[in-house]
Amino acid sequence: MAKKIGFALRLSLFLTILAAAFFFVWRVNVGPTAEGSVEVFFIETKSDANAILLKQGEAVILVDTGEEVDAPAITAFLREQLVSVIDYLVLTHPDQDHIGGAPALLEQFEVRYVIQPYYAKENVLAGALRQTIDSLGVAQIYPTRPRSFTCGQMQMTVYPPLEKHYRKDNNYSLALWIKHGKVDMAFAGDAEEKRLNELMQIHWPAVQLYQVAHHGRASRSSGLLIEQLRPQYAVITASDGDQAVQDALKQVGARIFYTGDGTQQFVSDGKTMVYVERRP
C-alpha cells in the first residue's frame, strides 16, 4: 500500500511539474491582446543604426535600440507614441549600433522580455547590458531554434543563427518574420554573406515590408534574398545603400526608404500595408 501511495505522489508531482512547464511556455509565447492597425516606425538615428518600433494599441515590439547617443531621442519618441511597456525587446546582435541605447531604455520603460542571440565572445557593452537586465529582473530569451511569439495580433517568428560561433559578429543577427493578418514583414538585422545564406533556407513569402540587411551594404547573396522576398517597401537604416542592393530592390519593384531622411512610418490593417507620408 505504501508503495502505491508513494508512486501516486511521485506521479502527481511529475504531472504538476509538467503542467507548470507547459504553462510557462504558453506564457512566454503570449503577449497582450489588441485590435486595430499595426504601426511600424523605423526611427531616425544620428548615424547608421537600427531602432524599429511595432505597435498595435498597447502591444509593443521594439527591435534594436540604436547607439547610446540615440537613447534620449528614442525615449522621447516612444513617449510620444504613448508607450509605457515594451512587451518584447528584440536585440538582433550585440553591436553598439543595435544595443547601445538598451540600458537607458530598460531603465525608462517596463520591459517584459528581452530576446537576444547566443553570443559567447567577450564584449564589454554586451556584458554591461546583461548586468542591467539582471539587476532589473527582466526575463531573457535566447532562442536556439525558431520560436514564435504573439503580441496583439502580430505573430512574430524569431530565426536564430544556425551556428554558435561566427567570425563576423553581424552573422549572429536574429532574423524576424512578423505577420499581421495577410501582411508579412521581414527584418534581417546586419546579416552578411554567411547569415544571408542561412536565411535563404527559410521559405519566406513575398513580403510587404523588408528591413534591408546590414544597412544596405551588399554581400554576394543580398540580391538573392531580395528576389526571394520581393518586398513592396524596403527600408535601409542609413542615409544610402550600396548600388547593387538598390538595383536589386528596384528590379523587384520595391519602394526604397532611408532612415537618414528621417523616421519612416508604415501602417498595416491586416490586409494591406501603406506608407505614411512624412509631414513637411
Side-chain angles (χ1 to χ4, degrees):
M1 178 64 70
K3 288 183 178 180
K4 288 184 178 179
I5 293 173
F7 174 78
L9 289 173
R10 289 194 298 273
L11 179 61
S12 176
L13 178 62
F14 172 76
L15 291 175
T16 300
I17 293 172
L18 186 63
F22 275 114
F23 178 75
F24 175 74
V25 172
W26 179 81
R27 290 287 296 174
V28 165
N29 285 290
V30 174
T33 58
E35 295 182 355
S37 298
V38 169
E39 299 174 281
V40 185
F41 300 90
F42 291 78
I43 303 170
E44 181 181 13
T45 57
K46 287 188 177 294
S47 58
D48 298 355
N50 276 30
I52 305 163
L53 170 66
L54 297 101
K55 179 175 176 287
Q56 184 185 33
E58 295 183 354
V60 173
I61 299 170
L62 184 64
V63 182
D64 291 329
T65 60
E67 299 195 28
E68 183 177 2
V69 69
D70 296 311
I74 294 172
T75 297
F77 183 82
L78 295 180
R79 298 288 188 209
E80 289 174 10
Q81 297 302 318
L82 305 179
V83 171
S84 58
V85 177
I86 298 169
D87 298 294
Y88 295 104
L89 173 57
V90 183
L91 302 173
T92 57
H93 65 293
D95 279 357
Q96 64 177 0
D97 57 329
H98 293 254
I99 68 169
L105 291 172
L106 283 158
E107 295 284 357
Q108 292 293 321
F109 297 91
E110 178 186 345
V111 176
R112 290 180 172 154
Y113 297 99
V114 174
I115 303 175
Q116 301 185 77
Y118 170 81
Y119 182 84
K121 295 181 182 179
E122 290 295 325
N123 183 311
V124 174
L125 187 60
L129 174 60
R130 280 195 297 272
Q131 290 182 353
T132 300
I133 294 171
D134 290 341
S135 68
L136 293 171
V138 180
Q140 301 178 68
I141 300 171
Y142 296 91
T144 57
R145 55 181 175 78
R147 293 284 302 275
S148 293
F149 304 87
T150 301
C151 190
Q153 294 173 329
M154 295 179 282
Q155 303 295 322
M156 176 175 68
T157 303
V158 179
Y159 293 96
L162 298 183
E163 299 180 13
K164 287 188 175 180
H165 302 284
Y166 294 87
R167 185 172 61 85
K168 293 185 176 182
D169 283 356
N170 286 334
N171 287 322
Y172 286 89
S173 291
L174 297 174
L176 308 177
W177 174 23
I178 298 180
K179 187 174 184 64
H180 174 230
K182 295 181 178 179
V183 173
D184 293 285
M185 298 166 262
F187 303 83
D190 274 1
E192 295 192 52
E193 181 70 18
K194 190 174 183 66
R195 183 71 177 122
L196 288 171
N197 287 332
E198 292 178 1
L199 295 181
M200 285 191 295
Q201 298 177 34
I202 301 169
H203 296 292
W204 297 96
V207 301
Q208 281 67 49
L209 181 62
Y210 172 45
Q211 175 255 310
V212 181
H214 197 200
H215 312 284
R217 298 179 188 130
S219 297
R220 284 178 296 178
S221 298
S222 300
L224 295 174
L225 182 60
I226 289 168
E227 287 178 15
Q228 188 173 347
L229 294 172
R230 305 188 69 81
Q232 177 184 0
Y233 301 114
V235 180
I236 294 175
T237 52
S239 298
D240 203 353
D242 287 348
Q243 192 61 50
V245 171
Q246 296 183 65
D247 290 345
L249 289 167
K250 291 174 183 176
Q251 186 68 31
V252 299
R255 289 184 63 189
I256 309 171
F257 301 89
Y258 304 89
T259 55
D261 296 331
T263 296
Q264 305 296 333
Q265 180 183 0
F266 302 83
V267 176
S268 163
D269 64 3
K271 297 178 181 178
T272 60
M273 172 162 275
V274 296
Y275 172 66
V276 179
E277 297 288 344
R278 296 178 63 227
R279 296 173 183 172

